[in-house]
Amino acid sequence: MQGQPVYLAGDQQQPDQKPLGSGDGRYLAFSGHQFQGVYVLRLSDRHLSQLSDEPAAGYGLVWSNDSKSLASRVAQYDGMHRYNALKLFDVETLKAQLLCSYQTAALGLPVFSSDDSRLYSVNRQALQAYPTGKPVSTLNKTSPRPLAYVLSDRLMVMNASGVSTPLLKDQRILNLTSSRDGQWLAFEIMGGPLCIIRSDGSGYRELGTGYRPHFSPDGKHLVFMVTRDDGHDYLASDLYIMAIDSSERQALTTSTDKLEMNPCWSPDGRQIAYDVLDEGAVYIVNLTAE
């Protein structure tokens, strides 16, 4: 069961998409149309700030563990040439820090280390670490957890010793996401089902059709979208919740006139935020116990 969706931001003139909540529950980040720009909404008073207006900045956003920064892969264009870089945004001062120079080489989506001191990204077919300059505080001084990333469309996991191991060597994946403790991974196989696997390579399961998964805070459930298209446009999209140890899924939305997409769970597990593609708006809905 759930309550009525509450509108947060965005419209057809200035569409917003792909919300992502901070770990402390204070902020919701999202991107503009076609992932241009980065915005942060302070949930306590609905104050909206723009951190960036750069192309591609809103795709693959990631929060630091202390919830004070956002990292993004940003782009610049010179004619037909695209240049990529990594940036760190302070959500309180709104200042941006360039972590690597703009380059024509493709960069992988960023991932924070457990203590926020480094930002990892695949660069020239190798995982690179970029110092963030963030201090190791009591809030983010956590024990190292497995770090999952994608290298040439393959799933890789780096352990606490810095050793990377490929999982599912023969499968190409996308939309990788990790549980909060790093023990479970969810992803889509290209042209195939939504799947989960433990970071040690055990517990692999195929969950059927599903896209852009996000774990609940306790790592026991996934929220994801199921879409239908004609090869050019989305025709339908709804959101579903599923326990990772079950084959049953519960519909979160069942509308026939809206395209609900890109869900994410709040840190306390009580809410789910998502966007509605045809409205260009971001909503949040309260979950209630049955």
Side-chain angles (χ1 to χ4, degrees):
M1 299 176 61
Q2 73 266 355
Q4 291 298 313
V6 176
Y7 166 84
L8 293 179
D11 53 40
Q12 291 182 344
Q13 283 69 46
Q14 292 184 313
D16 296 318
Q17 62 184 125
K18 209 167 186 184
L20 183 65
S22 61
D24 61 5
R26 296 177 59 203
Y27 299 101
L28 194 69
F30 44 85
S31 69
H33 182 53
Q34 295 182 339
F35 302 111
Q36 179 161 347
V38 177
Y39 301 84
V40 171
L41 184 71
R42 189 167 58 208
L43 293 172
S44 61
D45 58 4
R46 304 289 174 87
H47 177 75
L48 182 66
S49 301
Q50 184 175 11
L51 301 182
S52 171
D53 63 355
E54 294 165 288
Y59 186 82
L61 281 175
V62 60
W63 279 100
S64 59
N65 297 287
D66 65 6
S67 299
K68 296 180 179 180
S69 304
L70 278 163
S72 173
R73 179 186 62 187
V74 300
Q76 289 183 353
Y77 289 89
D78 182 8
M80 297 296 292
H81 299 286
R82 171 172 168 161
Y83 297 86
N84 305 291
L86 297 174
K87 276 192 174 181
L88 187 70
F89 301 96
D90 188 302
V91 298
E92 295 180 351
T93 67
L94 308 185
K95 293 181 178 180
Q97 175 187 351
L98 192 65
L99 297 185
C100 73
S101 59
Y102 285 89
Q103 54 196 277
T104 55
L107 292 173
L109 297 179
V111 184
F112 275 102
S113 63
S114 298
D115 62 3
D116 289 337
S117 66
R118 298 173 303 282
L119 191 72
Y120 289 97
S121 175
V122 172
N123 187 348
R124 301 183 188 278
Q125 300 303 304
L127 188 66
Q128 303 287 341
Y130 301 91
T132 63
K134 292 177 66 66
V136 178
S137 68
T138 55
L139 289 176
N140 61 15
K141 191 175 182 180
T142 58
S143 57
R145 61 176 181 268
L147 186 146
Y149 62 99
V150 178
L151 176 63
S152 299
D153 298 331
R154 264 57 180 190
L155 175 59
M156 304 288 294
V157 176
M158 184 176 72
N159 63 22
S161 301
V163 178
S164 291
T165 303
L167 303 183
L168 304 177
K169 297 180 182 180
D170 298 328
Q171 299 287 2
R172 300 175 65 196
I173 73 159
L174 71 163
N175 292 326
L176 171 66
T177 188
S178 302
S179 61
R180 181 178 291 182
D181 60 7
Q183 299 304 309
W184 280 101
L185 311 174
F187 51 90
E188 304 160 33
I189 290 179
M190 290 188 182
L194 176 67
C195 303
I196 58 171
I197 193 172
R198 290 185 182 273
S199 55
D200 63 5
S202 65
Y204 174 76
R205 287 188 62 217
E206 297 182 355
L207 305 181
T209 302
Y211 309 102
R212 297 179 186 170
H214 193 269
F215 278 100
S216 61
D218 61 8
K220 295 181 179 180
H221 292 79
L222 286 172
V223 62
F224 53 91
M225 66 185 197
V226 175
T227 63
R228 180 168 55 88
D229 62 75
D230 61 5
H232 299 281
D233 299 308
Y234 286 107
L235 303 177
S237 182
D238 276 303
L239 309 180
Y240 291 83
I241 293 174
M242 185 176 190
I244 65 172
D245 61 355
S246 172
S247 59
E248 297 183 4
R249 51 181 66 187
Q250 175 187 352
L252 183 65
T253 64
T254 56
S255 62
T256 58
D257 59 343
K258 293 184 178 182
L259 299 173
E260 293 101 339
M261 307 181 79
N262 300 311
C264 74
W265 228 296
S266 66
D268 61 8
R270 298 177 180 178
Q271 297 174 313
I272 287 176
Y274 60 92
D275 64 62
V276 178
L277 180 64
D278 41 327
E279 293 181 11
V282 173
Y283 288 82
I284 197 164
V285 62
N286 289 315
L287 304 178
T288 57
E290 295 187 11

